[in-house]
């Protein structure tokens, strides 16, 4: 199978498995797991933040950030297709008791003027704006990179209104690889950041959230409340360290493969590439073929290619390190044969 459903499907490398096996461990709830501590220190350093926390998933990281920043009854501003809004089971409302204020963006970026005017003024009727969330790269916008200047603008607006900014940087290293801008420069325009070790970086599980020491102190408590306080977690943190040491540079290869896939598919009659491919996601519109997205995905599956339906006519392909250049070529050939 050529699995292009998501970069979450990547399997741990041999080096990761070995690191797990050899990891020095302790009870992380007591703060005594040396491997987890090392991962958190390294992640904080890479992001230029005071402290970091190892969490079980991107969703947990985002939710801990919302819970830590906000009070029940707050409102958070986020893009209308943000993962936190679309794909996290309304956890912000169910757990944090906050309501979303969504703004439709352009390639994942909300108009800064709209963000500023969405921030609530003091009024007895209004919820307080507790947080602004950004997503970089933006999943639904096809792995679009939010430019650094844009992030700076949003951060300045947020600061002038005393509202914190959280970055869902599940694929922040992809944004960095696409722009050659270190992750810490993006992180500088945020109060807190979440990034996933388990996507393009290839670790089997886990995410990091980072921010000030005080924020991470509170976040640790929320992680415990949510049942995310793990014990000898070094065995899963060790692959995360390998991910940070060995897997960030190679993301450019996934981006090359995504561009190659888009270029190969765009010449096929009936197929339109919906996004400007900047990173590892290709959104393919099949409206001009006799198929809707679900049936297209099913047809590809029969041919040994896994993809994801991302709307009635849209299919998402995500490149990652378990997919080779030859497999990309083969994918193009098969789609050409099926609909060309
Ligand atoms: N995204 C998954 C699915 O949930 C859609 C994927 O296959 O892309 N933020 C962003 C921007 C994400 O894309 C994801 C996962 C998460 C957060 C959540 O991460 P996990 O799956 O670790 O909870």
């Amino acid at each position: 199978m050529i699995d292009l459903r998501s970069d979450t499907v990547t399997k741990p490398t041999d080096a990761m498995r070995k690191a797990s096996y050899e990891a020095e461990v302790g009870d992380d709830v007591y703060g005594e797991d040396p491997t987890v501590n090392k991962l958190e220190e390294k992640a904080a350093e890479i992001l230029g933040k005071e402290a970091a926390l190892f969490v079980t998933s991107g969703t947990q990281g985002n939710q801990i950030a919302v819970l830590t920043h906000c009070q029940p009854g707050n409102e958070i501003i986020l893009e209308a297709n943000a993962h936190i809004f679309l794909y996290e089971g309304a956890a912000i409302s169910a757990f944090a008791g906050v309501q979303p204020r969504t703004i439709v963006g352009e390639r994942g970026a909300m108009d800064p003027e709209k963000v500023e005017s969405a921030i609530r003024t003091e009024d007895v009727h209004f919820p307080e704006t507790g947080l602004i969330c950004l997503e970089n790269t933006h999943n639904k916008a096809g792995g679009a990179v939010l430019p650094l200047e844009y992030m700076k603008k949003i951060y300045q607006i947020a600061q002038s209104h005393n509202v914190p900014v959280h970055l869902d940087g599940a694929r922040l290293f992809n944004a960095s690889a696409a722009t050659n801008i270190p992750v810490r420069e993006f992180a500088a325009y945020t109060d807190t950041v979440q990034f996933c070790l388990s996507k393009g970086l290839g670790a089997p599980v886990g995410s990091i959230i980072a921010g000030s020491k005080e924020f991470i102190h509170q976040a640790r408590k929320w992680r415990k409340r949510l049942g995310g306080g793990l014990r000898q977690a070094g065995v899963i943190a060790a692959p995360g360290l390998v991910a940070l040491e060995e897997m960030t540079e190679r993301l450019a290869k996934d981006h090359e493969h995504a561009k190659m896939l888009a270029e190969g598919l765009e010449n096929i009659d009936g197929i339109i590439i919906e996004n400007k491919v900047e990173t590892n996601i290709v959104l393919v519109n099949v409206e001009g073929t006799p198929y809707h997205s679900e049936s297209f995905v099913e047809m590809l599956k029969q041919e040994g290619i896994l993809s994801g339906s991302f709307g009635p006519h849209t299919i998402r392909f995500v490149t990652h390190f378990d997919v080779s250049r030859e497999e990309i070529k083969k994918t193009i050939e098969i789609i050409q044969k099926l609909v060309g």
Side-chain angles (χ1 to χ4, degrees):
M1 279 288 181
I2 302 173
D3 195 345
L4 292 157
R5 283 172 302 171
S6 182
D7 44 12
T8 58
V9 303
T10 45
K11 305 251 170 54
T13 61
D14 289 348
M16 289 177 182
R17 290 173 191 269
K18 187 164 181 283
S20 266
Y21 184 75
E22 291 173 354
E24 239 186 284
V25 295
D27 192 325
D28 183 46
V29 173
Y30 295 128
E32 289 173 3
D33 188 302
T35 308
V36 173
N37 292 343
K38 193 168 163 200
L39 173 63
E40 292 177 345
E41 276 157 30
K42 188 172 177 79
E45 185 200 313
I46 292 174
L47 290 170
K49 296 290 185 204
E50 279 177 11
L53 187 69
F54 181 51
V55 295
T56 55
S57 66
T59 302
Q60 190 184 59
N62 286 335
Q63 292 308 319
I64 289 173
V66 174
L67 285 157
T68 308
H69 282 298
C70 299
Q71 298 295 320
N74 281 177
E75 183 168 78
I76 72 174
I77 298 173
L78 72 181
E79 205 278 321
N81 283 311
H83 192 278
I84 294 177
F85 179 63
L86 278 191
Y87 293 119
E88 298 188 11
I92 55 164
S93 308
F95 300 148
V98 305
Q99 73 176 12
R101 175 85 175 266
T102 57
I103 296 174
V104 177
E106 183 81 25
R107 309 194 62 248
M110 302 176 278
D111 178 344
E113 278 178 27
K114 288 187 186 161
V115 171
E116 185 153 30
S117 56
I119 296 173
R120 299 289 196 155
T121 51
E122 184 53 39
D123 184 302
V124 72
H125 301 88
F126 292 166
E128 271 130 32
T129 304
L131 186 65
I132 296 170
C133 292
L134 299 177
E135 187 175 311
N136 201 4
T137 63
H138 194 289
N139 183 359
K140 257 292 191 184
V145 177
L146 298 184
L148 193 61
E149 274 307 304
Y150 169 79
M151 290 195 51
K152 184 175 175 186
K153 205 174 278 177
I154 297 289
Y155 192 53
Q156 285 169 341
I157 291 168
Q159 282 197 312
S160 69
H161 293 271
N162 271 323
V163 177
V165 172
H166 171 69
L167 175 65
D168 175 354
R171 297 186 178 86
L172 184 58
F173 284 89
N174 292 87
S176 171
T179 55
N180 283 320
I181 298 170
V183 286
R184 62 161 51 216
E185 291 192 32
F186 288 103
Y189 300 121
T190 69
D191 293 280
T192 57
V193 186
Q194 179 277 121
F195 76 82
C196 293
L197 294 158
S198 61
K199 297 202 164 55
L201 300 183
V205 276
S207 273
I208 291 288
I209 43 175
S212 68
K213 271 196 180 127
E214 178 51 29
F215 174 88
I216 292 301
H217 178 71
Q218 301 296 333
R220 194 177 288 280
K221 208 157 215 183
W222 273 113
R223 187 186 68 172
K224 189 75 182 75
R225 285 192 186 106
L226 294 176
L230 303 177
R231 302 299 178 172
Q232 287 71 42
V235 290
I236 53 171
L241 274 164
V242 176
L244 291 179
E245 278 153 16
E246 296 180 6
M247 303 296 280
T248 58
E249 301 273 301
R250 60 151 309 286
L251 290 173
K253 199 110 258 106
D254 299 342
H255 301 176
E256 234 177 70
H257 289 166
K259 285 194 183 100
M260 188 179 145
L261 180 63
E263 279 161 19
L265 296 182
E266 74 190 351
N267 297 322
I268 301 175
D269 268 359
I271 281 184
I272 292 169
I273 306 300
E274 285 183 359
N275 61 322
K276 176 181 165 215
V277 178
E278 288 178 276
T279 58
N280 65 333
I281 299 180
V282 184
L283 300 181
V284 176
N285 188 300
V286 295
E287 202 170 356
T289 74
Y291 309 96
H292 53 74
S293 66
E294 303 269 342
S295 54
F296 202 96
V297 165
E298 195 42 50
M299 177 171 74
L300 287 184
K301 193 174 168 185
Q302 301 307 320
E303 298 285 334
I305 298 166
L306 299 179
S307 58
S309 168
F310 225 44
H313 305 291
T314 306
I315 293 169
R316 185 184 76 159
F317 294 91
V318 186
T319 56
H320 53 80
F321 87 98
D322 283 342
V323 176
S324 66
R325 195 183 159 82
E326 284 60 46
E327 288 174 314
I328 295 291
K329 272 195 203 153
K330 195 169 163 203
T331 303
I332 298 167
E333 280 163 20
I334 288 173
I335 297 177
Q336 171 81 53
K337 182 189 84 185
L338 291 172
V339 294

